[in-house]
């Protein structure tokens, strides 16, 4: 269970907002959409924020466009209109939105920059994906490119660009590389972070506005902790 402060309508980190969409910097521990835990999802928190900000009577429309794993942080986009939602959904489904992540790992990868190609097989019972170098039954091709951005005293900052969007893709592929993400017990890191987070952050998003048709580039500051701060 994550002990870190969740997002509330009062402390929500809004990165961008207009009539059609709102972009949030998700805290580790926030769940994007409701699940079996029954914890309040970020979508409901954003609705409460909009309702209060605009003094709206009745229900607030908000569409979930994509998700981030609960222990990760960073950019999450929500649609504020029924016009924007299907366009954004299509854009994300067809990989037209360019996502860049930051990850902090303890083991330095052999190559400073590399394109990784794996075949991920998902185990739904474990809620985990396993990376294989060759195609296996029911696997999906997963591709990312990483580069080493910074070397700290004990850790290394990687910047990751995704070509595909698979379940736990970055976590699984970096583990297969021998560089699991700090705090990610599920994928082989030696110990958890105290707050249950992992050091994986959706750093940047580049996409075309679904209505205005202008290019948007959004950058999210990572969580305020000593290791992330050392990367800035």
């Amino acid at each position: 269970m994550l002990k870190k402060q969740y997002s509330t309508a009062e402390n929500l980190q809004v990165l961008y907002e207009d009539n059609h969409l709102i972009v949030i910097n998700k805290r580790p521990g926030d769940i994007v959409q409701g699940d079996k835990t029954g914890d309040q999802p970020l979508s409901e928190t954003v609705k409460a924020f909009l309702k209060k900000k605009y003094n709206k009577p009745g229900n607030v429309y908000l569409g979930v466009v994509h998700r981030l794993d609960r222990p990760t942080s960073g950019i999450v986009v929500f649609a504020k209109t029924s016009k924007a939602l299907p366009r954004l959904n299509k854009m994300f489904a067809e990989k037209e939105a360019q996502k860049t992540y930051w990850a902090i790992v303890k083991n330095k990868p052999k190559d400073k920059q590399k394109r990784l190609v794996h075949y991920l097989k998902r185990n739904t019972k474990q809620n985990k994906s396993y990376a294989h170098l060759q195609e296996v039954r029911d696997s999906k091709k997963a591709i990312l490119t990483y580069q080493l951005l910074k070397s700290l005293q004990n850790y290394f900052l990687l910047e990751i660009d995704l070509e595909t969007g698979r379940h736990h893709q970055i976590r699984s592929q970096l583990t297969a590389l021998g560089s699991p993400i700090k705090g990610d017990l599920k994928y082989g890191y030696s110990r958890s972070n105290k707050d249950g987070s992992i050091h994986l952050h959706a750093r940047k998003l580049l996409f075309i506005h679904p209505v205005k048709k202008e290019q948007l580039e959004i950058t999210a500051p990572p969580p305020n902790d000593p290791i992330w701060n050392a990367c800035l």
Side-chain angles (χ1 to χ4, degrees):
M1 190 66 186
L2 298 187
K3 302 181 198 78
K4 187 171 272 196
Q5 183 187 26
Y6 299 122
S7 293
T8 65
E10 290 69 42
N11 70 13
L12 202 63
Q13 298 177 53
V14 180
L15 298 169
Y16 176 89
E17 187 194 355
D18 63 19
N19 291 337
H20 295 283
L21 50 101
I22 182 167
V23 184
I24 304 299
N25 190 8
K26 177 180 117 53
R27 287 174 165 84
D30 288 338
I31 190 160
V32 174
Q33 212 170 10
D35 72 354
K36 61 181 185 229
T37 61
D39 294 342
Q40 171 152 311
L42 189 58
S43 54
E44 291 302 316
T45 303
V46 176
K47 281 185 187 179
F49 166 81
L50 293 171
K51 191 176 175 72
K52 188 177 178 184
K53 182 177 178 181
Y54 298 106
N55 199 16
K56 286 192 170 215
N59 293 330
V60 172
Y61 179 90
L62 194 78
V64 176
V65 175
H66 65 119
R67 299 176 200 183
L68 274 185
D69 297 343
R70 186 166 192 171
T72 65
S73 56
I75 297 168
V76 181
V77 180
F78 295 97
K80 287 173 63 180
T81 62
S82 54
K83 185 177 185 180
L85 182 61
R87 295 179 185 184
L88 284 166
N89 282 341
K90 185 171 185 282
M91 200 183 298
F92 276 77
E94 294 176 0
K95 310 292 177 285
E96 288 167 12
Q98 193 180 321
K99 301 174 185 175
T100 301
Y101 287 79
W102 277 6
I104 290 174
V105 299
K106 189 151 190 171
N107 301 328
K108 185 180 183 179
K110 195 174 64 172
D111 302 291
K112 281 192 171 180
Q113 186 167 353
K114 196 172 183 182
R115 186 172 182 258
L116 301 181
V117 181
H118 289 98
Y119 295 87
L120 297 196
K121 183 160 181 172
R122 185 172 179 176
N123 183 317
T124 48
K125 279 185 182 172
Q126 294 178 313
N127 188 31
K128 189 173 175 180
S129 289
Y130 291 86
H132 301 267
L133 289 173
Q134 305 295 326
E135 191 169 2
V136 297
R137 192 178 166 189
D138 299 327
S139 64
K140 291 180 176 176
K141 196 174 191 179
I143 306 169
L144 64 78
T145 303
Y146 76 81
Q147 62 172 323
L148 178 65
L149 279 195
K150 197 163 190 174
S151 298
L152 305 174
Q153 195 173 349
N154 296 310
Y155 301 102
F156 302 91
L157 172 65
L158 306 181
E159 184 168 89
I160 295 136
D161 289 304
L162 285 180
E163 285 184 43
T164 55
R166 305 299 183 202
H167 175 260
H168 291 181
Q169 178 178 338
I170 297 172
R171 298 166 70 179
S172 179
Q173 286 193 275
L174 289 185
T175 290
L177 187 69
S179 299
I181 294 165
K182 184 182 181 299
D184 199 356
L185 274 182
K186 177 171 272 195
Y187 283 92
Y189 197 79
S190 54
R191 64 182 188 272
S192 60
N193 290 337
K194 281 181 184 173
D195 60 10
S197 68
I198 64 172
H199 276 72
L200 178 62
H201 178 70
R203 171 68 172 167
K204 196 165 75 173
L205 185 66
L206 204 64
F207 65 106
I208 304 296
H209 192 287
V211 180
K212 297 177 186 173
K213 303 300 179 195
E214 299 162 351
Q215 189 175 73
L216 285 178
E217 182 177 321
I218 294 164
T219 304
N224 180 19
D225 81 28
I227 296 170
W228 279 126
N229 293 345
C231 295
L232 297 172

